[in-house]
């Protein structure tokens, strides 16, 4: 199993400038290779492999631009392999067409596939092309080092993500006869509500620092672009943005760790939320970005994989909030403003978020039972037949694929 360890780097000013130079070389090579590949396909319908792109770097780009030798050769080869993988994903319709990288907007990073070293005793990391860089090795890595990815943030902080192969196989999730499931409902009012009654508050990190951010941006607009004071304020804004992102990631990591490990659940059920569609709402887009629903799902996915849990993803059109978890009655008139509602059949007062989490828990248990062949989804649902629970999503998906089960 592969694990990545992220360490903070403390390079000297000369080493930081060398890192930025290598990043610039990688960005230049990416843009040139993308232009070369696009023209070759447009003129001759010819697609290039990473081997052909490496030959283009060696025989065309490096003789024309000698300063590309500042970057390690293997780092530039990683650029060509990344571009070839991006084109494969595009032709398979799994990703968009690769884009050109901007100097100011693109992520500043480069990868070292070999010759990297991590000295945990002396708190330093060897970066090819830069040398030994001081670092904070807060925990000792386990396994064999595969590659190192160096990232320089806009705040000028540098990090090294070291990928290790520990030789341990990924645990296979085992589902007992009576599995314990936990449904998780994500929302903006309370970031996550679990079916076992636990709630996690939304930190609203951006809202806490919004006034300070506005004040700094207002000062920046009055400075002359490119001046020393403009650069200082630009750096302050970048530091504040990084602080907001770090607080958000820390709270999400703590929450997902408690959900996956501390709940002692065998099955975790979440919804397939249409985050891109929710972002089109101008009143909620900023709060949606601050909540980071996709990041929550990503962390739950890989932590379930690490700890041998089974993850079930409910269909996007599953009416978890509008269905009564006791009798199965469907409330078509429920709106986003209704945080509580009363079932007209069983007269149960329901909390919107907790009711959705309980419905997701039932969905996960029924999905596992249906996969084992014990319970089949019904074509029609009614108040008396609680097993149906109006699972339209289970009917619309072919049984042989069962895409809502990711692990298990």
């Amino acid at each position: 199993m592969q694990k990545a360890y992220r360490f903070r780097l403390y390079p000297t000013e000369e080493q930081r400038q060398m890192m930025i130079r290598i990043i610039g070389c990688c960005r230049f090579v990416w843009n040139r290779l993308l232009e070369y590949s696009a023209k070759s396909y447009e003129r001759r319908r010819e697609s290039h492999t990473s081997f052909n792109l490496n030959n283009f770097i060696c025989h065309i780009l490096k003789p024309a631009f000698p300063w590309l030798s500042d970057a390690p050769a293997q780092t530039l080869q990683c650029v060509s392999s990344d571009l070839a993988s991006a084109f494969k994903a595009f032709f398979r319709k799994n990703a968009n067409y690769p884009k050109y990288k901007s100097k100011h907007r693109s992520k500043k990073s480069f990868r070292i596939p070999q010759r990297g070293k991590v000295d945990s005793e002396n708190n330093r990391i060897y970066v090819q092309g830069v040398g030994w860089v001081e670092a904070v090795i807060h925990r000792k890595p386990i396994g064999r080092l595969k590659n190192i990815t160096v990232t320089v943030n806009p705040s000028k902080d540098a990090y090294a993500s070291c990928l290790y192969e520990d030789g341990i196989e990924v645990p296979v999730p085992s589902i007992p006869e009576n599995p314990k499931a936990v449904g998780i409902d994500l929302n903006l009012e309370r970031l996550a509500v679990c079916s076992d009654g636990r709630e996690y508050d939304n930190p609203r990190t951006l809202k806490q620092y919004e006034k300070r951010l506005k004040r700094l941006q207002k000062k920046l607009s009055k400075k002359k672009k490119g001046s020393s004071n403009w650069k200082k304020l630009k750096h302050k804004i970048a530091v504040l943005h990084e602080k907001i992102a770090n607080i958000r990631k820390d709270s999400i990591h703590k929450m997902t760790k408690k959900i996956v490990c501390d709940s002692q659940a065998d099955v975790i059920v979440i919804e397939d939320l249409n985050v891109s569609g929710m972002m089109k709402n101008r009143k909620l887009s900023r709060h949606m970005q601050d909540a980071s629903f996709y990041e929550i799902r990503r962390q739950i996915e890989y932590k379930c994989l690490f700890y041998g849990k089974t993850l079930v993803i409910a269909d996007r059109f599953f009416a978890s909030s509008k269905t009564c978890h006791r009798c199965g009655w469907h409330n078509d008139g429920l709106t986003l403003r209704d945080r509580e509602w009363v079932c007209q059949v069983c007269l149960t007062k329901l909390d919107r978020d907790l009711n959705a989490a309980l419905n997701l828990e039932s969905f996960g248990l029924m999905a596992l039972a249906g996969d084992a062949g014990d319970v089949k989804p019904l074509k029609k649902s009614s108040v008396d037949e609680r097993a149906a629970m109006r699972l339209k999503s289970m009917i619309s998906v072919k049984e042989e694929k069962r895409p809502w089960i990711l692990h298990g």
Side-chain angles (χ1 to χ4, degrees):
M1 185 167 55
Q2 295 182 355
K3 288 187 178 181
Y5 299 85
R6 192 166 183 257
F7 303 120
R8 173 74 181 274
L9 297 177
Y10 290 92
T12 62
E13 187 61 29
E14 183 179 355
Q15 290 176 336
R16 182 181 285 105
Q17 293 299 327
M18 190 63 197
M19 290 178 182
I20 294 175
R21 201 175 303 138
I22 295 174
I23 291 170
C25 294
C26 294
R27 182 180 61 252
F28 178 82
V29 169
W30 172 278
N31 293 338
R32 287 303 178 102
L33 292 179
L34 181 56
E35 180 185 8
Y36 170 67
S37 301
K39 289 183 178 179
S40 299
Y41 188 80
E42 182 181 356
R43 294 173 182 175
R44 302 182 295 272
R45 295 293 173 181
E46 179 183 3
S47 59
H48 297 286
T49 62
S50 58
F51 180 78
N52 297 334
L53 296 178
N54 288 335
N55 289 335
F56 182 77
I57 295 173
C58 182
H59 301 293
I60 304 297
L61 290 183
K62 281 192 172 181
F65 305 98
W67 47 269
L68 288 177
S69 58
D70 293 342
Q74 293 180 343
T75 300
L76 299 181
Q77 291 175 5
C78 290
V79 176
S80 61
S81 63
D82 291 343
L83 183 61
S85 300
F87 272 113
K88 286 182 181 178
F90 169 71
F91 287 118
R92 292 173 182 172
K93 298 182 180 181
N94 294 331
N96 296 328
Y97 188 82
K99 297 181 179 179
Y100 291 97
K101 292 187 177 181
S102 170
K103 180 179 180 181
H104 304 286
R105 296 179 180 272
S106 60
K107 183 179 179 181
K108 296 178 173 58
S109 64
F110 64 92
R111 189 165 71 252
I112 304 165
Q114 294 179 0
R115 299 182 182 179
K117 299 177 183 178
V118 178
D119 188 359
S120 58
E121 296 181 357
N122 298 319
N123 282 332
R124 58 177 186 170
I125 295 178
Y126 181 77
V127 180
Q128 187 180 5
V130 179
W132 286 102
V133 183
E134 293 186 5
V136 177
I137 313 297
H138 56 276
R139 54 178 173 171
K140 188 175 181 180
I142 300 175
R144 181 176 61 88
L145 180 64
K146 294 182 68 67
N147 60 61
I148 298 175
T149 302
V150 178
T151 305
V152 180
N153 293 339
S155 61
K156 297 183 181 179
D157 293 340
Y159 294 88
S161 181
C162 306
L163 185 65
Y164 278 81
E165 176 65 47
D166 55 9
I168 302 174
E169 296 183 358
V170 179
V172 179
S174 59
I175 304 175
E177 295 182 359
N178 297 320
K180 180 183 177 182
V182 173
I184 305 169
D185 179 68
L186 302 177
N187 55 85
L188 296 178
E189 190 70 23
R190 292 168 289 181
L191 188 58
V193 177
C194 301
S195 59
D196 56 4
R198 291 182 299 166
E199 298 179 359
Y200 299 92
D201 295 331
N202 190 351
R204 300 185 184 274
T205 315
L206 183 60
K207 188 176 181 180
Q208 296 179 14
Y209 296 93
E210 188 175 14
K211 291 184 178 179
R212 188 188 304 180
L213 194 60
K214 284 184 178 180
R215 185 170 63 251
L216 291 176
Q217 290 175 341
K218 188 176 181 180
K219 288 182 180 180
L220 183 67
S221 64
K222 298 179 180 179
K223 301 294 181 182
K224 184 179 179 181
K225 190 175 182 179
S227 63
S228 299
N229 291 331
W230 182 85
K231 292 179 181 179
K232 290 178 182 178
L233 275 176
K234 194 79 172 177
H235 180 259
K236 283 185 178 180
I237 294 173
V239 170
L240 185 57
H241 274 296
E242 186 174 353
K243 181 179 181 180
I244 294 171
N246 289 338
I247 294 174
R248 185 188 299 119
K249 287 180 181 179
D250 180 67
S251 61
I252 293 176
H253 271 292
K254 291 177 179 177
M255 183 189 71
T256 53
K257 182 68 179 299
K258 290 180 180 179
I259 290 174
V260 176
C261 299
D262 298 346
S263 63
Q264 298 180 353
D266 304 309
V267 181
I268 295 175
V269 190
I270 60 175
E271 283 184 294
D272 183 19
L273 296 175
N274 185 13
V275 180
S276 59
M278 296 177 181
M279 292 293 296
K280 295 180 181 179
N281 189 336
R282 295 183 179 181
K283 296 181 180 180
L284 299 178
S285 59
R286 183 175 56 181
H287 303 289
M288 292 291 300
Q289 288 179 336
D290 194 23
S292 301
F293 287 161
Y294 181 79
E295 178 65 16
I296 294 173
R297 172 174 171 173
R298 187 190 69 85
Q299 291 189 17
I300 290 177
E301 284 182 359
Y302 83 79
K303 287 178 183 178
C304 286
L305 187 66
F306 281 173
Y307 296 103
K309 306 287 185 175
T310 300
L311 178 63
V312 178
I313 297 181
D315 189 76
R316 183 171 295 178
F317 301 101
F318 172 53
S320 59
S321 300
K322 297 182 178 181
T323 305
C324 176
H325 71 276
R326 286 185 176 271
C327 63
W329 180 73
H330 192 72
N331 186 1
D332 293 322
L334 191 68
T335 62
L336 287 175
R337 293 183 179 180
D338 301 329
R339 308 313 303 176
E340 293 181 354
W341 56 284
V342 178
C343 178
Q344 296 182 8
V345 177
C346 62
L347 302 179
T348 304
K349 188 176 181 180
L350 302 171
D351 179 86
R352 178 194 181 97
D353 304 326
L354 182 59
N355 176 64
L358 291 171
N359 283 332
L360 289 172
E361 178 184 349
S362 301
F363 181 94
L365 294 175
M366 290 185 63
L368 294 175
D371 187 64
D374 298 334
V375 177
K376 297 295 182 181
L378 304 179
K379 295 182 179 180
K380 295 182 180 180
S381 60
S382 63
V383 176
D384 298 330
E385 296 168 339
R386 293 179 55 190
M389 292 295 294
R390 295 184 62 89
L391 300 184
K392 295 182 179 179
S393 55
M394 295 182 64
I395 303 171
S396 61
V397 182
K398 293 183 179 180
E399 293 183 5
E400 61 268 15
K401 293 185 178 180
R402 301 215 176 264
W404 52 76
I405 301 179
L406 287 188
H407 314 304

